[in-house]
Amino acid sequence: MKPFLSLLLAFWIARPAFPPQDDELRNHMVRKQIEERGINHRATLQAMRKVKRHLFVPLKHQKNAYDDMPLPIGYGQTISQPFMVAYMTQLLEPKVKHRVLEIGTGSGYQAAVLAEIVQQVYTIEIVKALGMQTKKKLHDLGYQNVEVITGDGYKGLPAKAPFDGIIVTAAAETIPPPLIAQLKDGGRMVIPVGASSAVQTLVLLEKRKGKVFTTDVTKVRFVPFTRDQ
Ligand code: SAH
């Protein structure tokens, strides 16, 4: 081979994986998009600095992985904007000893962020192919405390209930009663509520002494919560 060509080949092989400075991109994302907008929950910030969002988006979107927006992940679904992931995580008040249920696995990014903070994450995805793909990815990335289940999250996961926290990342018309039932006393649920075609309301639901309290937190836009027929 010509020396020039072999040099080119050597550079190609030795080139750093994309993006070359992903730590910097993530730190910048956390500072500008998350901390400067008021998120101060330390464990959340730490997890967002650590989890490589670019590994959770399709190759063609990797260059935008640290931008301030949701991105398509295939199957008509999206990975939420980084700020929204941080915001919902902080609202959940996750603690080290917690067991958390997520409905809407999608790319697995939100599950990975939670898995950096809590003891155990269960996450349910209704699109089987997406669930299987994400299960493999989380396994390959070494997450041993995330269990991906495929199926309709409306029913929750009674076998592993009750949960310290429940996070729903698809917009439901109403809060599924089985999820309320599977929340521990003292637990928190974060869920976008509203018609799928409209702007929805992010609701915080707290259970105290068996009573349920809900607070409307902010307006959001999520993909619809669907049901198995
Ligand atoms: N948390 C995800 C966001 C994915 S978008 C992430 O970090 O990437 C919401 C996901 O909810 C979609 O993948 C959609 O298929 C799934 N979903 C919608 N309705 C569902 C249901 N009833 N049960 C489980 N998953 C559901």
Side-chain angles (χ1 to χ4, degrees):
M1 202 188 295
K2 294 215 166 78
F4 172 71
L5 278 182
S6 44
L7 200 65
L8 205 66
L9 189 68
F11 272 121
W12 175 253
I13 290 167
R15 84 198 190 287
F18 178 88
Q21 60 310 49
D22 66 283
D23 281 354
E24 259 171 58
L25 290 175
R26 257 191 318 283
N27 287 336
H28 187 262
M29 170 191 86
V30 171
R31 207 167 46 247
K32 291 285 161 196
Q33 301 173 31
I34 297 173
E35 278 186 289
E36 285 186 11
R37 290 183 190 151
I39 305 293
N40 55 16
H41 185 255
R42 290 181 67 104
T44 299
L45 295 172
Q46 228 165 34
M48 299 285 301
R49 271 187 219 107
K50 184 163 174 201
V51 181
K52 296 176 185 285
R53 190 170 188 262
H54 67 275
L55 300 181
F56 292 82
V57 303
L59 273 180
K60 66 173 178 206
H61 295 302
Q62 280 200 343
K63 60 182 184 306
N64 299 114
Y66 298 102
D67 293 353
D68 192 10
M69 56 179 165
L71 289 169
I73 54 169
Y75 307 92
Q77 307 303 333
T78 54
I79 178 173
S80 306
Q81 177 194 18
F83 174 75
M84 191 45 60
V85 174
Y87 190 80
M88 290 173 80
T89 307
Q90 167 167 286
L91 208 52
L92 204 61
E93 294 184 0
K95 309 265 186 312
V96 179
K97 293 252 168 71
H98 281 183
R99 294 163 63 255
V100 172
L101 174 67
E102 178 192 34
I103 311 299
T105 312
S107 68
Y109 179 68
Q110 172 74 73
V113 167
L114 283 167
E116 294 289 344
I117 304 174
V118 305
Q119 191 184 90
Q120 180 68 40
V121 179
Y122 301 95
T123 177
I124 308 181
E125 172 54 53
I126 201 165
V127 178
K128 193 161 182 215
L130 181 57
M132 298 308 285
Q133 178 187 311
T134 300
K135 187 188 181 104
K136 181 178 183 313
K137 179 169 51 195
L138 288 166
H139 176 265
D140 291 349
L141 289 173
Y143 284 99
Q144 293 181 344
N145 60 339
V146 185
E147 195 175 315
V148 180
I149 299 112
T150 54
D152 184 354
Y154 185 91
K155 294 167 272 178
L157 195 61
K160 304 288 182 184
F163 303 98
D164 300 283
I166 299 180
I167 181 168
V168 182
T169 61
E173 301 233 348
T174 53
I175 305 178
L179 297 184
I180 302 177
Q182 290 170 33
L183 188 65
K184 237 184 223 176
D185 207 61
R188 293 161 80 85
M189 183 185 334
V190 179
I191 177 170
V193 182
S196 58
S197 55
V199 172
Q200 307 114 13
T201 305
L202 189 67
V203 174
L204 168 67
L205 181 150
E206 296 166 275
K207 207 189 248 187
R208 280 184 243 126
K209 299 203 171 94
K211 285 209 185 99
V212 167
F213 302 87
T214 59
T215 316
D216 291 356
V217 182
T218 186
K219 296 289 171 201
V220 288
R221 196 180 276 275
F222 275 83
V223 296
F225 193 99
T226 53
R227 298 296 316 278
D228 264 350
Q229 295 311 315

